[in-house]
């Protein structure tokens, strides 16, 4: 739960905010594509139902779907993310290890719990990069995390150089942590409270191993079983080849997830994760059959929230200050009382 600040005053007015959003998006995507050797591609807004391509997130969220009159009412689904579509595209383009793609992902998540950082509309830079099978290690994953963090740091300075009142807050380096270590250190706290604790302590962290069972049988947070690899033993006493980049949001006095990413499943880890989640029936879907047959290359990928990054860098208290959305009447009133102007 995110509590709006009692005495909030926006740093940039609405018009300045709109200008700054453009600057952030243009600068960051260029930095990311350069750092990770990513080619810009176009992306779908919707995909066919029943193919297994759409991301079902935690496995319970309902996608927005609709029939297409010109195709005998075949149903399409608005994407919830492009995690699996990107892997297919990277394979089709014949990307070699160390090179990949990125795109603007625009999604609708109707089951989202709306608050200061969650909205019905999701905009991300979705990226995917081909890797060599030997690089399916947590050490390789962490090197990618550091590269993305450098892009965040450069973007923060870029904005500060133009708006001197937005002083940099990110630490020099990102701290690499493991979800199971956090559970052992803070057993009485919820996963969100653990994230708050370490984000405030370090400023920026990458929590590794999200989705798989921790040593006490709990999970840090839900992950679908068919894109990130959260079951593989890393060889250093931990499990999971994925994680989240989380920073400390000093306006909301809370942790803020900016990116979710991971090394993608191979045939073995896909089978194991589908079994653990009790959804082996997915093996018959188009995407899963291709993966199990070895027809998709090995990749690492993730999504970086565009509005969340803008919200963080511009020191906003609500995501509705950097994206146009629809909100419950009670939330609109609460924001008005707090001096927050929603777009």
């Amino acid at each position: 739960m995110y509590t709006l600040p009692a005495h909030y005053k926006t740093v940039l007015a609405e018009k300045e905010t709109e200008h700054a959003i453009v600057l952030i998006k243009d600068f960051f995507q260029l930095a990311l594509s350069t750092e990770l050797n990513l080619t810009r591609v176009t992306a779908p807004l919707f995909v066919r139902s029943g193919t297994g391509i759409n991301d079902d997130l935690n496995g319970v969220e309902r996608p927005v779907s609709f029939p297409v009159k010109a195709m005998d009412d075949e149903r399409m689904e608005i994407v919830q993310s492009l995690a699996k579509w990107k892997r297919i595209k990277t394979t089709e383009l014949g990307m070699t290890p160390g090179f990949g793609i990125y795109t603007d992902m625009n999604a609708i998540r109707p089951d989202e719990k709306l608050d200061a950082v969650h909205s019905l509309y999701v905009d991300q830079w979705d990226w995917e990069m081909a890797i060599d099978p030997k690089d399916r290690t947590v050490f390789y994953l962490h090197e990618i995390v550091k590269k993305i963090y450098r892009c965040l740091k450069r973007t923060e300075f870029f904005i500060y150089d133009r708006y001197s009142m937005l002083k940099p807050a990110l630490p020099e380096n990102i701290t690499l942590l493991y979800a199971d270590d956090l559970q052992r250190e803070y057993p009485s706290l919820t996963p969100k409270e653990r994230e708050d604790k370490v984000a405030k302590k370090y400023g920026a962290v990458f929590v590794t191993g999200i989705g798989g069972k921790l040593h006490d049988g709990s999970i840090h947070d839900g992950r679908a079983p068919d894109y990130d690899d959260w079951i593989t033993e890393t060889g250093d006493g931990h499990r999971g080849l994925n994680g989240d980049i989380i920073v400390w949001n000093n306006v909301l006095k809370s942790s803020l997830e900016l990116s979710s990413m991971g090394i993608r499943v191979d045939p073995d880890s896909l089978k194991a994760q589908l079994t653990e989640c009790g959804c082996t029936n997915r093996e018959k879907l188009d995407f899963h059959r291709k993966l199990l047959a070895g027809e998709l290359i090995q990749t690492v990928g993730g999504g970086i929230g565009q509005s969340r990054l803008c919200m963080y860098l511009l020191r906003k208290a609500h995501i509705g200050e950097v994206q146009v959305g629809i909100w419950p009447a009670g939330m609109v009133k609460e924001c008005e009382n707090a001096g927050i102007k929603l777009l």
Side-chain angles (χ1 to χ4, degrees):
M1 186 66 181
Y2 294 86
T3 303
L4 298 179
H7 306 287
Y8 173 73
K9 183 174 176 58
T10 183
V11 178
L12 299 182
E14 183 175 342
K15 190 173 182 180
E16 289 178 304
T17 296
E18 296 283 13
H19 291 161
I21 289 171
V22 175
L23 291 174
I24 290 171
K25 292 186 176 183
D26 287 348
F27 184 90
F28 181 82
Q29 67 180 358
L30 180 60
L32 182 70
S33 64
T34 304
E35 188 73 51
L36 296 184
N37 301 320
L38 305 177
T39 298
R40 175 73 163 78
V41 299
T42 54
L45 178 60
F46 46 85
V47 295
R48 281 183 165 87
S49 298
T51 60
I53 295 176
N54 202 1
D55 183 1
D56 64 351
L57 307 174
N58 292 310
V60 297
E61 292 87 349
R62 301 167 301 168
V64 175
S65 65
F66 59 93
V68 179
K69 185 176 181 180
M71 299 173 66
D72 297 324
D73 281 345
E74 182 179 359
R75 295 200 72 83
M76 303 293 164
E77 294 177 357
I78 304 293
V79 297
Q80 296 195 110
S81 91
L82 295 172
K84 289 175 275 190
W85 178 86
K86 290 180 300 177
R87 189 164 182 182
I88 294 173
K89 190 67 175 180
T90 305
T91 300
E92 289 177 347
L93 291 175
M95 291 294 179
T96 56
F99 295 87
I101 61 174
Y102 81 97
T103 190
D104 282 308
M105 188 282 291
N106 298 288
I108 298 175
R109 297 181 180 175
D111 287 347
E112 195 71 84
K113 294 181 179 179
L114 305 181
D115 58 28
V117 302
H118 295 90
S119 59
L120 297 174
Y121 168 69
V122 179
D123 55 343
Q124 294 183 167
W125 289 285
D126 255 338
W127 63 275
E128 200 81 7
M129 186 175 72
I131 64 172
D132 193 289
K134 68 177 176 59
D135 290 324
R136 297 188 78 257
T137 69
V138 72
F139 309 106
Y140 185 87
L141 173 66
H142 285 167
E143 288 305 308
I144 299 297
V145 170
K146 293 173 187 176
K147 289 183 177 182
I148 294 174
Y149 187 70
R150 286 200 289 268
C151 296
L152 296 175
K153 286 277 292 178
R154 287 201 290 272
T155 307
E156 182 183 50
F157 173 76
F158 174 77
I159 290 302
Y160 167 64
D161 199 36
R162 281 145 186 81
Y163 302 98
S164 59
M165 65 288 284
L166 296 169
K167 297 188 182 301
L170 291 173
E172 186 63 28
N173 298 299
I174 188 168
T175 300
L176 307 171
L177 304 170
Y178 290 88
D180 51 355
D181 287 343
L182 295 184
Q183 197 284 325
R184 291 187 184 96
E185 187 172 359
Y186 308 109
S188 62
L189 301 183
T190 67
K192 177 66 173 79
E193 289 169 341
R194 293 171 205 153
E195 291 180 359
D196 288 344
K197 195 88 171 176
V198 294
K200 184 176 183 180
K201 179 178 180 180
Y202 297 109
V205 298
F206 182 75
V207 178
T208 312
I210 295 180
K213 289 182 179 178
L214 306 178
H215 76 284
D216 67 342
S218 67
I219 61 171
H220 185 82
D221 196 4
R223 284 293 186 276
D226 43 18
Y227 56 98
D228 282 352
D229 185 333
W230 41 255
I231 202 168
T232 294
E233 297 285 346
T234 63
D236 58 356
H238 301 95
R239 188 168 83 155
L241 298 174
N242 71 343
D244 291 344
I245 294 177
I246 298 168
V247 298
W248 177 249
N249 184 323
N250 200 47
V251 176
L252 292 176
K253 306 300 180 185
S254 176
S255 57
L256 178 67
E257 177 195 323
L258 293 182
S259 175
S260 175
M261 57 178 288
I263 291 174
R264 306 311 196 186
V265 289
D266 63 8
D268 290 338
S269 57
L270 174 62
K271 273 184 168 293
Q273 291 181 183
L274 290 177
T275 299
E276 184 164 315
C277 291
C279 48
T280 54
N281 58 308
R282 294 190 193 180
E283 293 179 11
K284 300 175 183 178
L285 299 174
D286 292 348
F287 171 83
H288 303 72
R289 285 193 292 103
K290 287 181 179 179
L291 202 157
L292 292 170
E295 297 175 12
L296 301 179
I297 61 174
Q298 185 61 59
T299 61
V300 59
I304 301 162
Q306 295 184 13
S307 290
R308 285 197 183 183
L309 179 59
C310 292
M311 175 187 176
Y312 173 78
L313 293 179
L314 301 180
R315 309 298 183 243
K316 299 296 187 179
H318 197 286
I319 199 167
E321 295 179 89
V322 294
Q323 67 166 231
V324 177
I326 294 177
W327 309 95
M331 182 178 292
V332 174
K333 186 65 176 176
E334 183 183 4
C335 287
E336 287 178 356
N337 294 337
I340 296 171
K341 187 179 187 308
L342 301 177
L343 297 181

